[in-house]
Structures are given as C-alpha cells and as structure tokens.
Amino acid sequence: MDLKGKDFLTLLDFSADEIAELLELSAKLKKLKKHGVPHRYCEGKNIALIFEKNSTRTRCSFEVAAADLGMHPVFLDPSSSQLGKKESIADTARVLGRIFDGIEYRGFGQERVEELAKFADVPVWNGLTNEYHPTQVLADLMTVQEHFGSLKGRKLAFFGDARYNMANSLMIGCAKMGMHFVACAPAKYFPDKALIETCQKIAAESGAVLEFEEDPAKAAAGADVIYTDVWVSMGEPDSVWEERIKELAPYRVTAKIMQTAGPQCRFMHCLPSFHDLKTEIGAKTYEKYGIDCMEVSDEVFESPQSIVFDEAENRMHTIKAVMLATLSSDLPK
C-alpha cells in the first residue's frame, strides 16, 4: 500500500484493495495498542484539527491517535481560526500546509474540505462533512469484519434519514466491499440519485447489492447489521424535529426489528444516540412529543446485540491507520 501524500476525503477515492489494506493496518495498530507496544511512526510531526462542528469521538480519536504515533495535534475550533471569515479557505490551507504535516477538517459542505485539499500541500482528512463521513465508515467496516470475519456479502440495513453523510458513506463502503446495502426509509429520505447511480456502477464490478426499501420488515429480514443515526443532523433547525419524528417513527430500531433480522444481527450506531431520557435533547423531546426514545429503543441499544462501543473505539484505530498511511511509508509489518 502506497498512500503517502494522499488525501482522505471520501471512500469513492479508494479502491477495494486500498480499503482492505487500511483495515488490515488498523487491526495491526489496534493489536499494538492493546499490547502496550509503542508505535511512534510519525515522531515529531504536527497536525491541525479544524472543527467547525464539535464531536466527542472524532476529536478524541484524532488526538489520541496522533499522540500514539508521536505527533502533536493542534485543535482549531471556530473561535480559534479565521477559516472562511477573515481568511479564505484557500489562504488558510496554504498557511497551515506550510506549518503542519497534515490537516483534519470536520464541518459543513464537502466543497470546504475539497478546497482545503486543493490548496494544502499536505494530506487532508475528512472528519465529517454534510455529504460524507469516511473515517466513521472505515471504523464501521472494521467492526463488521471483527464480528463476522468478512465483509463480502454481509447485509447492512440503514434505518432512518438516508440522505446525508452516514447513509451516503455506508452505501459507498458497502458498494466498494461487495456487501448488501439497504436504505430503509420513506422514499423522500433515500440517498441522492446521482450518488446511487455512481454506487450501482461500483456494485456491478464488486458484486454488491444495493436496495432502497420502504418496508422495515423487508429491509430487516436476514440482515447482519441494522444501522441507524439521529433523525436531525447537526446544524439543522428545530423546526424539522416534528416532521422527522412523525415520518421516521415507523423506522425506529426496536426489539421487533432485531427479531425480524434474526439472532445473528448486530446493532450499530455512529453516536451520539437518543435512546433514553438522559440527555437534554432526549428530555425536551419527551416533554414536547411524549416519546422516550427516537431512532433506537433503549432495549436494543443496551442489548447484547449492540456493538456500538466496539464501533466507537475503532474510530481511533482506523483514524490512526489513515494518518499513518498518508504520512509515512514506514508501516508495521
């Protein structure tokens, strides 16, 4: 694998072999971490972490992964950077590219991270945009592979709003790796048609199956993984809550859905999740709409079939692999 100097903006830019090799590298790095073996392959390097949208898992994963690799991360939130305000993205990229060895971006439109990558002469990594979330899906694929031993032919059904970054990136990842992807939602919540066409062309070569289903029982039947995400994404107005709750409630992941899938099925979620009333948003939603959970029931979230925390941990290992592979040719054997 020779990815040194390459950006990590969407899995569309990577072949199935490259994704498989990144997953293999992630597993090696995870093993080193678990055994307490130092792996400071990027000693002395510095990276910038640009966060226009905050996140627990993404920030912690990048910072710990950087430290493990011997790098120094610098966190830049909206109050710490003039990105797009007093300084253009292009100018910011050219400045940071001369100071840092790599740049992570988490924020809004994909065009912002694409512009950073265009003007920075160092690798740029997409920590999340409105359209794509490739570091999350790499961790998801690693988690599925750990629990099932393989990816090809595994059925993953995504329940809920499939128009944005998570469903988009899962569809791409499944298409690349020859998996069976189902988007389960009302038709108005299906992914963009142009992206579907792109993924169908990939699927024709990989043997993947892509389906778009409005019936939850049909989508769940025989699934190896039931996956969901929050119904309202970061930055969306409060006015959409009532509409989403009304239209997506039939697509909540419940014990009945998991039973329909079968005992082999595992539940996954990129987190955070509104599965109980222990968050401010969960409590306010209960007060206003009378529901004690949203996209997944607490019964499923806390069940033995739930592997959400394996998935969350793997963010660190896969992000570490992405940074190492794009910054260095010195990889663990």
Side-chain angles (χ1 to χ4, degrees), residues 7 142 160 175 185:
D7 301 312
M142 181 182 185

Side-chain angles (χ1 to χ4, degrees), residues 190-255:
F190 287 164
D192 176 72
K193 289 183 179 179
L195 182 59
I196 290 174
E197 290 176 2
T198 297
C199 289
Q200 285 174 332
K201 291 177 183 177
I202 296 169
E205 297 183 2
S206 69
V209 176
L210 307 181
E211 293 183 323
F212 306 91
E213 179 60 64
E214 294 189 68
D215 185 334
K218 289 182 180 178
D224 296 296
V225 175
I226 300 289
Y227 199 116
T228 193
D229 191 9
V230 294
W231 290 342
V232 179
S233 299
M234 294 175 67
E236 291 191 278
D238 291 343
S239 59
V240 304
W241 280 92
E242 185 172 359
E243 176 187 18
R244 300 283 170 81
I245 289 170
K246 179 181 178 181
E247 295 182 344
L248 294 176
Y251 299 90
R252 176 181 292 126
V253 180
T254 62

Side-chain angles (χ1 to χ4, degrees), residues 292-305:
D292 60 5
C293 63
M294 279 187 268
E295 71 278 3
V296 58
S297 70
D298 193 56
E299 181 181 10
V300 170
F301 188 89
E302 297 292 355
S303 73
Q305 289 176 285

Side-chain angles (χ1 to χ4, degrees), residues 65-77:
D68 284 352
L69 290 171
M71 297 192 290
H72 175 63
V74 175
F75 177 75
L76 299 171
D77 64 9

Side-chain angles (χ1 to χ4, degrees), residues 6-17:
K6 185 169 181 175
D7 301 312
F8 190 79
L9 307 181
T10 165
L11 289 181
L12 287 171
D13 299 333
F14 293 80
S15 69
D17 286 344

